[in-house]
Structure formats: structure tokens, C-alpha cells
Amino acid sequence: MNPFEFVLAVLILVFAFTIIRHKLGIPVRSMREMRGDPPNDQENARLRSQVKQLQDRINVLERIVTDRGVETAAQIEALRDRDHIENGDQVQ
């Protein structure tokens, strides 16, 4: 067996074991788990809050995109009317 065949055989074995592990549902351990580090709860909380902010932004963008132009125009006009009334502007 030459070196090329050996490397090819090792790659095939690794691929086969990866497929088997995936089919059996065995999770791959993270580097932190392998080192024995405790989970970083502060980092998880920060990331969760960041994800929540991004989801809120996406919701706003979805509402803007799916909103009809007529409704948006009506809201803009209502805001203009409100500003005119609050400022005491007279339309001439």
C-alpha cells in the first residue's frame, strides 16, 4: 500500500464514521466541552439579547415591506396633520 492509498483509506474511514455518527444522532463535542471549561453564561446572555434585538429589527422591516403603500401614506399624512395642529400652523 503506497502513501496515497493510505491517505485515501483514512479519509474514507473518517467520512464513513462521520456519516454513521450523524445517523445515530451522536453530537460532536465542542472544544470547550473537551477541555472541561464551564459554559459561559454571561456570553450566552449577551448573544441572546443581541439575537432578540435583531429579531425585533427584522419584524419591523417585514412590517414595512409588507405594508401597503396606501396605509403608509395615510400614516404619514396623519403625522403631518398632527404636527400642523401641535405647531399651530395654518394652511393657507
Side-chain angles (χ1 to χ4, degrees):
M1 178 180 268
N2 65 25
F4 177 73
E5 291 173 344
F6 178 74
V7 169
L8 188 60
V10 168
L11 287 175
I12 290 172
L13 285 174
V14 168
F15 182 72
F17 285 128
T18 303
I19 296 292
I20 291 169
R21 185 179 63 209
H22 177 70
K23 291 292 184 184
L24 293 176
I26 300 171
V28 179
R29 295 188 308 170
S30 69
M31 290 300 290
R32 284 192 182 132
E33 290 174 349
M34 291 192 314
R35 287 189 307 232
D37 292 345
N40 191 349
D41 293 332
Q42 184 179 10
E43 179 72 9
N44 289 341
R46 184 187 69 80
L47 291 173
R48 287 180 194 278
S49 70
Q50 188 176 12
V51 166
K52 177 67 173 139
Q53 287 176 340
L54 292 173
Q55 286 174 337
D56 292 341
R57 286 183 174 186
I58 289 172
N59 288 339
V60 168
L61 291 173
E62 286 176 346
R63 190 172 62 235
I64 290 171
V65 169
T66 58
D67 191 14
R68 296 181 191 165
V70 175
E71 293 173 6
T72 304
Q75 290 174 357
I76 291 172
E77 289 301 320
L79 289 173
R80 284 185 185 155
D81 292 340
R82 188 190 70 188
D83 288 343
H84 286 292
I85 292 171
E86 288 176 358
N87 294 335
D89 295 340
Q90 298 296 327
V91 178
Q92 297 177 355

mmCIF file of all heavy atoms in Angstrom, residues 54-89:
data_model
loop_
_atom_site.group_PDB
_atom_site.id
_atom_site.type_symbol
_atom_site.label_atom_id
_atom_site.label_comp_id
_atom_site.label_asym_id
_atom_site.label_seq_id
_atom_site.Cartn_x
_atom_site.Cartn_y
_atom_site.Cartn_z
ATOM 1 N N LEU A 54 -32.003 41.782 16.970
ATOM 2 C CA LEU A 54 -32.025 41.558 15.530
ATOM 3 C C LEU A 54 -33.383 41.041 15.064
ATOM 4 O O LEU A 54 -33.872 41.422 14.000
ATOM 5 C CB LEU A 54 -30.903 40.600 15.127
ATOM 6 C CG LEU A 54 -29.484 41.146 15.283
ATOM 7 C CD1 LEU A 54 -28.467 40.053 15.021
ATOM 8 C CD2 LEU A 54 -29.250 42.323 14.365
ATOM 9 N N GLN A 55 -34.005 40.173 15.863
ATOM 10 C CA GLN A 55 -35.333 39.678 15.508
ATOM 11 C C GLN A 55 -36.354 40.812 15.513
ATOM 12 O O GLN A 55 -37.227 40.874 14.641
ATOM 13 C CB GLN A 55 -35.770 38.580 16.472
ATOM 14 C CG GLN A 55 -35.048 37.273 16.250
ATOM 15 C CD GLN A 55 -35.386 36.238 17.300
ATOM 16 O OE1 GLN A 55 -35.817 36.572 18.412
ATOM 17 N NE2 GLN A 55 -35.188 34.971 16.965
ATOM 18 N N ASP A 56 -36.244 41.730 16.486
ATOM 19 C CA ASP A 56 -37.145 42.876 16.521
ATOM 20 C C ASP A 56 -36.960 43.749 15.283
ATOM 21 O O ASP A 56 -37.931 44.227 14.695
ATOM 22 C CB ASP A 56 -36.919 43.707 17.790
ATOM 23 C CG ASP A 56 -37.353 42.976 19.041
ATOM 24 O OD1 ASP A 56 -38.146 42.015 18.931
ATOM 25 O OD2 ASP A 56 -36.889 43.359 20.131
ATOM 26 N N ARG A 57 -35.712 43.955 14.894
ATOM 27 C CA ARG A 57 -35.448 44.750 13.696
ATOM 28 C C ARG A 57 -36.020 44.080 12.448
ATOM 29 O O ARG A 57 -36.584 44.741 11.581
ATOM 30 C CB ARG A 57 -33.947 44.953 13.506
ATOM 31 C CG ARG A 57 -33.354 45.942 14.456
ATOM 32 C CD ARG A 57 -31.903 46.131 14.151
ATOM 33 N NE ARG A 57 -31.344 47.193 14.970
ATOM 34 C CZ ARG A 57 -30.117 47.657 14.839
ATOM 35 N NH1 ARG A 57 -29.323 47.149 13.921
ATOM 36 N NH2 ARG A 57 -29.687 48.623 15.599
ATOM 37 N N ILE A 58 -35.869 42.767 12.366
ATOM 38 C CA ILE A 58 -36.414 42.032 11.219
ATOM 39 C C ILE A 58 -37.927 42.156 11.182
ATOM 40 O O ILE A 58 -38.518 42.339 10.115
ATOM 41 C CB ILE A 58 -35.962 40.554 11.259
ATOM 42 C CG1 ILE A 58 -34.472 40.463 10.945
ATOM 43 C CG2 ILE A 58 -36.777 39.708 10.295
ATOM 44 C CD1 ILE A 58 -33.894 39.087 11.142
ATOM 45 N N ASN A 59 -38.569 42.088 12.349
ATOM 46 C CA ASN A 59 -40.029 42.232 12.399
ATOM 47 C C ASN A 59 -40.457 43.601 11.880
ATOM 48 O O ASN A 59 -41.439 43.707 11.139
ATOM 49 C CB ASN A 59 -40.547 42.018 13.817
ATOM 50 C CG ASN A 59 -40.470 40.574 14.241
ATOM 51 O OD1 ASN A 59 -40.406 39.674 13.407
ATOM 52 N ND2 ASN A 59 -40.446 40.341 15.537
ATOM 53 N N VAL A 60 -39.740 44.648 12.267
ATOM 54 C CA VAL A 60 -40.065 45.988 11.790
ATOM 55 C C VAL A 60 -39.880 46.070 10.279
ATOM 56 O O VAL A 60 -40.730 46.608 9.563
ATOM 57 C CB VAL A 60 -39.200 47.045 12.515
ATOM 58 C CG1 VAL A 60 -39.321 48.398 11.837
ATOM 59 C CG2 VAL A 60 -39.583 47.135 13.976
ATOM 60 N N LEU A 61 -38.772 45.534 9.790
ATOM 61 C CA LEU A 61 -38.525 45.559 8.350
ATOM 62 C C LEU A 61 -39.586 44.766 7.581
ATOM 63 O O LEU A 61 -40.039 45.201 6.518
ATOM 64 C CB LEU A 61 -37.136 45.023 8.032
ATOM 65 C CG LEU A 61 -35.965 45.906 8.479
ATOM 66 C CD1 LEU A 61 -34.649 45.185 8.248
ATOM 67 C CD2 LEU A 61 -35.997 47.223 7.753
ATOM 68 N N GLU A 62 -39.990 43.628 8.115
ATOM 69 C CA GLU A 62 -41.036 42.843 7.458
ATOM 70 C C GLU A 62 -42.339 43.613 7.416
ATOM 71 O O GLU A 62 -43.052 43.590 6.409
ATOM 72 C CB GLU A 62 -41.237 41.510 8.181
ATOM 73 C CG GLU A 62 -40.145 40.512 7.947
ATOM 74 C CD GLU A 62 -40.326 39.243 8.757
ATOM 75 O OE1 GLU A 62 -41.151 39.238 9.708
ATOM 76 O OE2 GLU A 62 -39.641 38.264 8.451
ATOM 77 N N ARG A 63 -42.654 44.316 8.507
ATOM 78 C CA ARG A 63 -43.886 45.097 8.541
ATOM 79 C C ARG A 63 -43.830 46.231 7.516
ATOM 80 O O ARG A 63 -44.808 46.514 6.840
ATOM 81 C CB ARG A 63 -44.119 45.649 9.950
ATOM 82 C CG ARG A 63 -45.483 46.256 10.119
ATOM 83 C CD ARG A 63 -45.795 46.634 11.554
ATOM 84 N NE ARG A 63 -44.869 47.644 12.019
ATOM 85 C CZ ARG A 63 -44.119 47.530 13.111
ATOM 86 N NH1 ARG A 63 -44.182 46.438 13.833
ATOM 87 N NH2 ARG A 63 -43.303 48.487 13.478
ATOM 88 N N ILE A 64 -42.665 46.870 7.392
ATOM 89 C CA ILE A 64 -42.515 47.950 6.418
ATOM 90 C C ILE A 64 -42.655 47.415 4.999
ATOM 91 O O ILE A 64 -43.336 48.005 4.161
ATOM 92 C CB ILE A 64 -41.161 48.660 6.600
ATOM 93 C CG1 ILE A 64 -41.164 49.460 7.903
ATOM 94 C CG2 ILE A 64 -40.852 49.567 5.421
ATOM 95 C CD1 ILE A 64 -39.810 50.007 8.281
ATOM 96 N N VAL A 65 -42.016 46.287 4.721
ATOM 97 C CA VAL A 65 -42.027 45.737 3.364
ATOM 98 C C VAL A 65 -43.405 45.232 2.977
ATOM 99 O O VAL A 65 -43.854 45.424 1.853
ATOM 100 C CB VAL A 65 -40.974 44.611 3.239
ATOM 101 C CG1 VAL A 65 -41.136 43.850 1.952
ATOM 102 C CG2 VAL A 65 -39.577 45.201 3.339
ATOM 103 N N THR A 66 -44.102 44.604 3.907
ATOM 104 C CA THR A 66 -45.398 44.008 3.575
ATOM 105 C C THR A 66 -46.549 44.998 3.717
ATOM 106 O O THR A 66 -47.660 44.699 3.304
ATOM 107 C CB THR A 66 -45.687 42.783 4.452
ATOM 108 O OG1 THR A 66 -45.663 43.176 5.825
ATOM 109 C CG2 THR A 66 -44.667 41.696 4.207
ATOM 110 N N ASP A 67 -46.286 46.169 4.293
ATOM 111 C CA ASP A 67 -47.322 47.176 4.465
ATOM 112 C C ASP A 67 -47.702 47.754 3.110
ATOM 113 O O ASP A 67 -46.867 47.932 2.235
ATOM 114 C CB ASP A 67 -46.813 48.284 5.386
ATOM 115 C CG ASP A 67 -47.911 49.207 5.826
ATOM 116 O OD1 ASP A 67 -49.091 48.861 5.656
ATOM 117 O OD2 ASP A 67 -47.592 50.284 6.347
ATOM 118 N N ARG A 68 -48.952 48.033 2.932
ATOM 119 C CA ARG A 68 -49.408 48.622 1.678
ATOM 120 C C ARG A 68 -48.995 50.089 1.634
ATOM 121 O O ARG A 68 -48.923 50.768 2.641
ATOM 122 C CB ARG A 68 -50.917 48.521 1.567
ATOM 123 C CG ARG A 68 -51.390 47.108 1.504
ATOM 124 C CD ARG A 68 -52.879 47.079 1.372
ATOM 125 N NE ARG A 68 -53.337 45.709 1.571
ATOM 126 C CZ ARG A 68 -54.581 45.392 1.806
ATOM 127 N NH1 ARG A 68 -55.498 46.328 1.869
ATOM 128 N NH2 ARG A 68 -54.918 44.138 1.972
ATOM 129 N N GLY A 69 -48.763 50.579 0.453
ATOM 130 C CA GLY A 69 -48.366 51.972 0.275
ATOM 131 C C GLY A 69 -49.439 52.946 0.713
ATOM 132 O O GLY A 69 -49.150 54.026 1.214
ATOM 133 N N VAL A 70 -50.685 52.570 0.554
ATOM 134 C CA VAL A 70 -51.792 53.437 0.933
ATOM 135 C C VAL A 70 -51.798 53.641 2.446
ATOM 136 O O VAL A 70 -51.980 54.755 2.939
ATOM 137 C CB VAL A 70 -53.141 52.838 0.454
ATOM 138 C CG1 VAL A 70 -54.309 53.654 0.949
ATOM 139 C CG2 VAL A 70 -53.146 52.704 -1.050
ATOM 140 N N GLU A 71 -51.599 52.560 3.182
ATOM 141 C CA GLU A 71 -51.590 52.659 4.635
ATOM 142 C C GLU A 71 -50.412 53.506 5.104
ATOM 143 O O GLU A 71 -50.552 54.315 6.016
ATOM 144 C CB GLU A 71 -51.524 51.262 5.250
ATOM 145 C CG GLU A 71 -52.770 50.440 5.005
ATOM 146 C CD GLU A 71 -52.612 49.006 5.471
ATOM 147 O OE1 GLU A 71 -51.571 48.692 6.078
ATOM 148 O OE2 GLU A 71 -53.518 48.212 5.219
ATOM 149 N N THR A 72 -49.255 53.326 4.483
ATOM 150 C CA THR A 72 -48.081 54.108 4.852
ATOM 151 C C THR A 72 -48.318 55.586 4.554
ATOM 152 O O THR A 72 -47.995 56.448 5.380
ATOM 153 C CB THR A 72 -46.840 53.610 4.084
ATOM 154 O OG1 THR A 72 -46.677 52.224 4.337
ATOM 155 C CG2 THR A 72 -45.602 54.350 4.528
ATOM 156 N N ALA A 73 -48.889 55.881 3.399
ATOM 157 C CA ALA A 73 -49.177 57.267 3.044
ATOM 158 C C ALA A 73 -50.172 57.880 4.026
ATOM 159 O O ALA A 73 -50.023 59.042 4.428
ATOM 160 C CB ALA A 73 -49.710 57.344 1.618
ATOM 161 N N ALA A 74 -51.174 57.129 4.424
ATOM 162 C CA ALA A 74 -52.164 57.629 5.387
ATOM 163 C C ALA A 74 -51.510 57.916 6.733
ATOM 164 O O ALA A 74 -51.817 58.921 7.384
ATOM 165 C CB ALA A 74 -53.288 56.613 5.549
ATOM 166 N N GLN A 75 -50.597 57.063 7.163
ATOM 167 C CA GLN A 75 -49.895 57.291 8.426
ATOM 168 C C GLN A 75 -49.024 58.537 8.347
ATOM 169 O O GLN A 75 -48.952 59.322 9.296
ATOM 170 C CB GLN A 75 -49.055 56.073 8.794
ATOM 171 C CG GLN A 75 -49.877 54.873 9.201
ATOM 172 C CD GLN A 75 -49.018 53.639 9.420
ATOM 173 O OE1 GLN A 75 -47.810 53.664 9.211
ATOM 174 N NE2 GLN A 75 -49.655 52.556 9.863
ATOM 175 N N ILE A 76 -48.364 58.733 7.215
ATOM 176 C CA ILE A 76 -47.520 59.919 7.044
ATOM 177 C C ILE A 76 -48.385 61.177 7.076
ATOM 178 O O ILE A 76 -48.032 62.169 7.734
ATOM 179 C CB ILE A 76 -46.718 59.823 5.732
ATOM 180 C CG1 ILE A 76 -45.663 58.718 5.853
ATOM 181 C CG2 ILE A 76 -46.063 61.163 5.392
ATOM 182 C CD1 ILE A 76 -44.950 58.399 4.555
ATOM 183 N N GLU A 77 -49.509 61.147 6.384
ATOM 184 C CA GLU A 77 -50.409 62.301 6.386
ATOM 185 C C GLU A 77 -50.956 62.574 7.786
ATOM 186 O O GLU A 77 -51.092 63.729 8.198
ATOM 187 C CB GLU A 77 -51.556 62.099 5.390
ATOM 188 C CG GLU A 77 -51.127 62.166 3.947
ATOM 189 C CD GLU A 77 -50.483 63.498 3.591
ATOM 190 O OE1 GLU A 77 -50.956 64.563 4.064
ATOM 191 O OE2 GLU A 77 -49.489 63.474 2.846
ATOM 192 N N ALA A 78 -51.277 61.522 8.532
ATOM 193 C CA ALA A 78 -51.769 61.702 9.899
ATOM 194 C C ALA A 78 -50.695 62.346 10.765
ATOM 195 O O ALA A 78 -50.983 63.219 11.593
ATOM 196 C CB ALA A 78 -52.199 60.356 10.479
ATOM 197 N N LEU A 79 -49.457 61.946 10.584
ATOM 198 C CA LEU A 79 -48.366 62.566 11.337
ATOM 199 C C LEU A 79 -48.189 64.025 10.939
ATOM 200 O O LEU A 79 -47.945 64.882 11.790
ATOM 201 C CB LEU A 79 -47.060 61.793 11.114
ATOM 202 C CG LEU A 79 -46.991 60.413 11.759
ATOM 203 C CD1 LEU A 79 -45.711 59.704 11.320
ATOM 204 C CD2 LEU A 79 -47.034 60.532 13.268
ATOM 205 N N ARG A 80 -48.324 64.326 9.653
ATOM 206 C CA ARG A 80 -48.213 65.722 9.206
ATOM 207 C C ARG A 80 -49.328 66.564 9.804
ATOM 208 O O ARG A 80 -49.111 67.673 10.274
ATOM 209 C CB ARG A 80 -48.261 65.799 7.686
ATOM 210 C CG ARG A 80 -46.997 65.389 7.021
ATOM 211 C CD ARG A 80 -47.088 65.603 5.527
ATOM 212 N NE ARG A 80 -45.894 65.076 4.884
ATOM 213 C CZ ARG A 80 -45.832 64.677 3.630
ATOM 214 N NH1 ARG A 80 -46.908 64.754 2.863
ATOM 215 N NH2 ARG A 80 -44.711 64.217 3.127
ATOM 216 N N ASP A 81 -50.550 66.026 9.778
ATOM 217 C CA ASP A 81 -51.676 66.756 10.354
ATOM 218 C C ASP A 81 -51.476 66.990 11.842
ATOM 219 O O ASP A 81 -51.754 68.080 12.348
ATOM 220 C CB ASP A 81 -52.984 65.994 10.115
ATOM 221 C CG ASP A 81 -53.376 65.961 8.647
ATOM 222 O OD1 ASP A 81 -52.869 66.816 7.886
ATOM 223 O OD2 ASP A 81 -54.178 65.082 8.270
ATOM 224 N N ARG A 82 -50.991 66.004 12.527
ATOM 225 C CA ARG A 82 -50.747 66.137 13.960
ATOM 226 C C ARG A 82 -49.695 67.208 14.222
ATOM 227 O O ARG A 82 -49.835 68.024 15.123
ATOM 228 C CB ARG A 82 -50.284 64.797 14.549
ATOM 229 C CG ARG A 82 -50.193 64.833 16.075
ATOM 230 C CD ARG A 82 -49.514 63.611 16.611
ATOM 231 N NE ARG A 82 -48.100 63.710 16.242
ATOM 232 C CZ ARG A 82 -47.208 62.771 16.406
ATOM 233 N NH1 ARG A 82 -47.571 61.624 16.916
ATOM 234 N NH2 ARG A 82 -45.953 62.936 16.068
ATOM 235 N N ASP A 83 -48.626 67.227 13.410
ATOM 236 C CA ASP A 83 -47.584 68.234 13.577
ATOM 237 C C ASP A 83 -48.116 69.631 13.298
ATOM 238 O O ASP A 83 -47.754 70.590 13.979
ATOM 239 C CB ASP A 83 -46.391 67.925 12.669
ATOM 240 C CG ASP A 83 -45.595 66.727 13.139
ATOM 241 O OD1 ASP A 83 -45.764 66.331 14.313
ATOM 242 O OD2 ASP A 83 -44.818 66.164 12.324
ATOM 243 N N HIS A 84 -48.969 69.753 12.301
ATOM 244 C CA HIS A 84 -49.559 71.065 11.983
ATOM 245 C C HIS A 84 -50.410 71.559 13.137
ATOM 246 O O HIS A 84 -50.367 72.726 13.506
ATOM 247 C CB HIS A 84 -50.407 70.998 10.703
ATOM 248 C CG HIS A 84 -49.599 70.915 9.454
ATOM 249 N ND1 HIS A 84 -48.836 71.944 9.002
ATOM 250 C CD2 HIS A 84 -49.437 69.893 8.568
ATOM 251 C CE1 HIS A 84 -48.233 71.581 7.875
ATOM 252 N NE2 HIS A 84 -48.574 70.329 7.591
ATOM 253 N N ILE A 85 -51.183 70.666 13.737
ATOM 254 C CA ILE A 85 -52.060 71.049 14.847
ATOM 255 C C ILE A 85 -51.225 71.409 16.058
ATOM 256 O O ILE A 85 -51.493 72.407 16.732
ATOM 257 C CB ILE A 85 -53.045 69.905 15.160
ATOM 258 C CG1 ILE A 85 -54.023 69.739 14.001
ATOM 259 C CG2 ILE A 85 -53.803 70.177 16.449
ATOM 260 C CD1 ILE A 85 -54.887 68.494 14.111
ATOM 261 N N GLU A 86 -50.196 70.622 16.385
ATOM 262 C CA GLU A 86 -49.381 70.887 17.556
ATOM 263 C C GLU A 86 -48.599 72.185 17.417
ATOM 264 O O GLU A 86 -48.419 72.923 18.377
ATOM 265 C CB GLU A 86 -48.405 69.719 17.784
ATOM 266 C CG GLU A 86 -49.077 68.468 18.287
ATOM 267 C CD GLU A 86 -48.110 67.305 18.417
ATOM 268 O OE1 GLU A 86 -46.916 67.472 18.068
ATOM 269 O OE2 GLU A 86 -48.536 66.236 18.841
ATOM 270 N N ASN A 87 -48.134 72.484 16.230
ATOM 271 C CA ASN A 87 -47.335 73.697 16.000
ATOM 272 C C ASN A 87 -48.204 74.920 15.778
ATOM 273 O O ASN A 87 -47.703 76.032 15.745
ATOM 274 C CB ASN A 87 -46.396 73.509 14.824
ATOM 275 C CG ASN A 87 -45.326 72.464 15.092
ATOM 276 O OD1 ASN A 87 -44.984 72.205 16.241
ATOM 277 N ND2 ASN A 87 -44.819 71.854 14.036
ATOM 278 N N GLY A 88 -49.497 74.735 15.581
ATOM 279 C CA GLY A 88 -50.380 75.858 15.333
ATOM 280 C C GLY A 88 -50.226 76.403 13.932
ATOM 281 O O GLY A 88 -50.547 77.565 13.672
ATOM 282 N N ASP A 89 -49.677 75.618 13.027
ATOM 283 C CA ASP A 89 -49.504 76.059 11.635
ATOM 284 C C ASP A 89 -50.873 76.205 10.979
ATOM 285 O O ASP A 89 -51.774 75.398 11.178
ATOM 286 C CB ASP A 89 -48.670 75.057 10.836
ATOM 287 C CG ASP A 89 -47.232 74.967 11.354
ATOM 288 O OD1 ASP A 89 -46.797 75.916 12.030
ATOM 289 O OD2 ASP A 89 -46.574 73.955 11.069
#
